């Protein structure tokens, strides 16, 4: 059963999309072909001088869409976040769902 998750920067999907340079929603579909995993690489640590809190939220599990408060009855994603150095020796975030 596929799961759609959205990337959030400080709780905001539009900000996440802007910071990673994409148009539309920063979302991915997790399923058996990707072992229900996805990693966003090189996420910035700071924006406008403030630390970014990166997170994800599930918006659809199979045919079940989330409630208006983005909750589901029995589902919680597992997320790991690490800080790494990029080519310019700046801290970046790797977020794996």
């Amino acid at each position: 059963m596929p799961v759609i998750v959205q990337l959030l920067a400080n709780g905001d999907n539009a900000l996440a999309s802007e910071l990673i340079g994409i148009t539309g929603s920063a979302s991915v579909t997790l399923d058996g072909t990707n072992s229900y995993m996805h990693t966003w690489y090189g996420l910035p640590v700071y924006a406008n001088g403030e630390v970014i809190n990166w997170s994800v939220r599930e918006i659809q599990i199979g045919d079940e869409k989330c409630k208006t408060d983005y909750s589901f009855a029995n589902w919680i994603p597992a997320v790991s976040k690490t800080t790494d150095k990029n080519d310019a020796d700046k801290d970046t975030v790797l977020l794996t769902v």
Side-chain angles (χ1 to χ4, degrees), residues 5 21 32 39 61 85 88:
V5 296
T39 300
I61 301 171
K85 298 279 185 192

Side-chain angles (χ1 to χ4, degrees), residues 47-68:
N48 302 319
E50 295 188 18
V51 174
I52 302 167
N53 178 28
W54 291 101
S55 60
V56 296
R57 69 177 165 211
E58 295 170 323
I59 57 171
Q60 186 169 338
I61 301 171
D63 293 332
E64 180 186 1
K65 293 187 179 182
C66 63
K67 300 175 188 175
T68 56

